[in-house]
Amino acid sequence: MAGTSAKGRPKQLRRSTRSTSNNTNTSQPSVSTPQRGRKRACQNYPPQETMDRPAQPKRKKKKETPSYLCRSDNEIASDPNRHTFLGRLPPEILMEVANVSPITTAVCLTLTCKLALATLGTQWWTRYLSLVKEGQRDQTIYANHVLFLKLLCQDVKPSDFEFCLRCTALHAPLKPPAEHVKTKLTQSCQGHYIDYLPRGPNGGYNLLLAHIATAFVRKTFDVKYSLEHLAGTHHMSNANLRYTMTTTADWVKDNLILRHEYIFTGAPGSSLDPGDILNLPLRLCPHQSTSRQPPPRSRYLNDKRLNAPLLTRSILSTFWEGLYKEKEFRAPTQLEETQLSTVNQDGFLFACSKCPTKWGVAHSHLDHENKKGKQPQQITLTAFHCFGKSFIKANKYFPSFVRRAGSTLGAGKRNDEWWSEGRTFPYFDVE
C-alpha cells in the first residue's frame, strides 16, 4: 500500500512552511520576509515621510575660480600687455602659436603674462605635469624640468622659495630648528626630525639631520664658527606652572653636544607641585619620558612591560619621599639600579642606555619650612645629546634620537620608551 512502511504504519509527511500566494489575503497585501532577513529588511525599508517624495539628486558645489584667473574690468582695461605684439593678436592665432611651441614655452608664457593666461588657460600646466610624470626616467625631460624650475626661482624671493634638487620642487628654504615647520613638500626631501620636544603656541624645536650636517660642513671651513642656528628658546605656561626650554650647542672635545635646559617654576606665590611636571608630555629622548601609560597594542610585539622609572625618579628626588609608585613603572634594570643609588648626589648625570643622551637635575630656593618637607620652588633639568665628531657618526646616531611608534612597526623599526633596540655608544664629556 502506498504511503505505508513495511510494518504497516503510515509515513509522517513534513509540513511545508513555505508561504504561497494562495494562502495570502488579497484584501490586505503583504510582503513575506524570511525570519532571518526580517530585521535587515526593516532597517533598509525607507521611512514613511520619504516614500511619497522623489529622491532629489545632490547638487555639487561649484568650484570657485582661482584668484589668478579672476580679473576685474579695470585690471583688464589697464593691462599694458594689450598694447604689445602678442596682446594684439587674435586669440585663435595666439592659441596656434602655443600649439607649435614647446610646452615649457607655453607654460612660461602663461606664468608671466595674465593676458596670455586668460587666453590660453591652465591646460598647459596639466599637460606639462603629465609629461614630466611620464618621462621621469628620461634624462632630457628631467634636465628640461630642472632648468624650468631654476628659471622660476629667478622670479621669486630667495627667502620664500628655493629649488630643491632632491625632490625637484620649489619649497621654502631650510630654517633653523626653532623656526622649522613641516610641510607636504618637505616630507620627501628633509626626512625625519626630532619633534617630541615641547611645543608652545609659536611652534617648537624641530631638529633635522640637515641642521647637524650644516654644523659639520661649516666647521671644516671655520673652526671658530658659532652654532647659533641650533639655538632657540620656547616658553610655555599654565595656571600652576611656568615652563621654559633653552637650547644651545657647542663643540666639546670635537664632539657636537646639543644642550636642552628645562626650567620648571611654580606660579607666583605658590609652591611647585611635582604632579604638574609629571603630567606634562615631558620627553628627553625617545626612551626617557614620564609616561605612566601602558604600552599600546602592537601587531608584532607582545611585550607588555611598562615604562622605565629612571627619568621620573630623577625628578622626584628633589621632592619629598612617598610620591613614586612602583606599580606604574617596570622594575629597573641593573644599570638603572646603579644610577638610582646615586640619585641624591649633586652634579650626577644620568645616562640613557638606548641613545647618547645624558641629563642632570638641580633644584633651587628650597622651602624648609614647608610642612611636607623639602620642596623646591624651581627645578632645572639639563639634557645633553651627543652627535659625534664627524657627520658619519652623526648620521649613525641620529636615528636613535628619532621617535618611531605605531602598531604596525616591528622590533627593528620601532623606537620609543617601550620598545627599542639595544645599542652601544661611546662615552662623551659634556663640558
Side-chain angles (χ1 to χ4, degrees):
M1 182 177 179
T4 60
S5 60
K7 297 183 181 180
R9 295 181 180 178
K11 293 183 178 180
Q12 294 181 357
L13 300 178
R14 189 178 66 178
R15 184 178 180 183
S16 176
T17 58
R18 184 177 300 175
S19 60
T20 58
S21 58
N22 296 331
N23 297 331
T24 57
N25 190 1
T26 56
S27 61
Q28 295 180 358
S30 61
V31 180
S32 61
T33 306
Q35 184 69 21
R36 185 174 298 177
R38 185 172 298 173
K39 183 177 181 180
R40 184 181 301 174
C42 295
Q43 293 177 354
N44 298 333
Y45 199 71
Q48 187 67 24
E49 299 178 357
T50 60
M51 288 180 60
D52 302 334
R53 194 179 301 170
Q56 297 181 358
K58 295 182 179 179
R59 295 182 180 179
K60 295 183 179 180
K61 293 184 179 180
K62 187 178 180 180
K63 294 183 179 180
E64 296 182 358
T65 306
S67 59
Y68 49 82
L69 293 178
C70 298
R71 304 178 66 194
S72 61
D73 296 338
N74 295 331
E75 292 179 354
I76 297 175
S78 60
D79 191 353
N81 293 324
R82 296 178 57 191
H83 306 287
T84 60
F85 174 75
L86 291 176
R88 293 195 300 267
L89 291 176
E92 296 81 6
I93 298 179
L94 186 60
M95 184 68 70
E96 188 65 24
V97 171
N99 287 328
V100 298
S101 301
I103 295 182
T104 54
T105 303
V107 172
C108 290
L109 180 61
T110 55
L111 290 175
T112 55
C113 179
K114 290 185 178 180
L115 179 61
L117 178 61
T119 305
L120 300 177
T122 59
Q123 58 177 334
W124 304 99
W125 302 355
T126 307
R127 291 175 58 183
Y128 176 74
L129 292 177
S130 60
L131 180 64
V132 172
K133 187 176 180 180
E134 293 175 359
Q136 287 180 352
R137 299 182 180 180
D138 192 342
Q139 296 296 332
T140 304
I141 297 178
Y142 178 78
N144 293 333
H145 181 55
V146 172
L147 180 61
F148 172 69
L149 294 177
K150 289 183 178 180
L151 291 175
L152 288 181
C153 285
Q154 300 178 3
D155 299 331
V156 298
K157 296 181 180 180
S159 59
D160 295 339
F161 294 96
E162 68 176 5
F163 171 68
C164 180
L165 184 60
R166 186 171 183 179
C167 61
T168 61
L170 299 180
H171 56 69
L174 182 65
K175 295 183 179 180
E179 302 176 3
H180 175 73
V181 179
K182 184 179 180 181
T183 60
K184 292 182 179 180
L185 294 177
T186 59
Q187 289 180 357
S188 59
C189 64
Q190 295 181 358
H192 297 284
Y193 63 97
I194 300 177
D195 60 345
Y196 49 78
L197 297 176
R199 303 183 62 85
N202 298 327
Y205 190 89
N206 301 321
L207 183 65
L208 288 165
L209 183 61
H211 297 133
I212 304 299
T214 303
F216 282 101
V217 169
R218 294 184 180 181
K219 181 185 178 183
T220 58
F221 297 100
D222 187 6
V223 180
K224 298 182 179 180
Y225 169 73
S226 61
L227 301 172
E228 294 181 357
H229 72 285
L230 296 177
T233 302
H234 298 277
H235 303 277
M236 287 137 285
S237 62
N238 52 33
N240 302 323
L241 182 67
R242 289 183 294 178
Y243 181 14
T244 303
M245 189 199 76
T246 304
T247 305
T248 56
D250 196 5
W251 299 99
V252 180
K253 295 184 179 180
D254 292 336
N255 283 322
L256 178 59
I257 304 298
L258 192 68
R259 173 177 175 174
H260 296 305
E261 186 178 55
Y262 304 83
I263 300 177
F264 304 96
T265 308
S270 61
S271 59
L272 186 60
D273 188 0
D276 296 333
I277 301 177
L278 299 180
N279 291 332
L280 290 173
L282 182 60
R283 192 183 306 275
L284 302 185
C285 65
H287 322 102
Q288 301 298 331
S289 69
T290 58
S291 176
R292 291 163 289 180
Q293 301 294 330
R297 295 182 179 179
S298 177
R299 183 178 300 177
Y300 303 104
L301 300 174
N302 296 323
D303 192 357
K304 298 182 179 181
R305 293 187 304 171
L306 298 177
N307 187 20
L310 194 58
L311 178 60
T312 304
R313 287 282 297 273
S314 64
I315 296 175
L316 292 179
S317 63
T318 58
F319 291 89
W320 60 90
E321 298 180 357
L323 293 175
Y324 178 75
K325 298 180 180 180
E326 297 182 354
K327 295 182 179 181
E328 296 178 344
F329 299 91
R330 63 168 172 80
T333 61
Q334 184 177 0
L335 180 60
E336 293 172 347
E337 191 67 37
T338 304
Q339 298 186 60
L340 292 174
S341 61
T342 57
V343 70
N344 293 324
Q345 295 183 7
D346 294 336
F348 178 78
L349 293 180
F350 300 88
C352 179
S353 61
K354 306 297 183 181
C355 65
T357 298
K358 294 182 179 180
W359 75 93
V361 183
H363 53 267
S364 59
H365 305 292
L366 295 180
D367 186 9
H368 294 285
E369 298 179 357
N370 195 294
K371 296 181 180 180
K372 296 182 179 180
K374 183 177 66 174
Q375 184 175 0
Q377 296 295 326
Q378 177 177 311
I379 288 182
T380 303
L381 192 152
T382 308
F384 304 92
H385 308 280
C386 178
F387 290 92
K389 298 181 180 180
S390 62
F391 180 69
I392 297 177
K393 292 293 184 181
N395 193 18
K396 180 181 178 182
Y397 295 167
F398 193 81
S400 62
F401 292 112
V402 178
R403 175 177 167 83
R404 296 186 300 274
S407 60
T408 59
L409 295 180
K413 297 182 179 180
R414 195 179 180 101
N415 189 35
D416 58 6
E417 62 264 46
W418 292 290
W419 295 290
S420 57
E421 290 184 339
R423 301 173 184 174
T424 302
F425 299 96
Y427 176 83
F428 63 92
D429 293 326
V430 298
E431 293 180 355

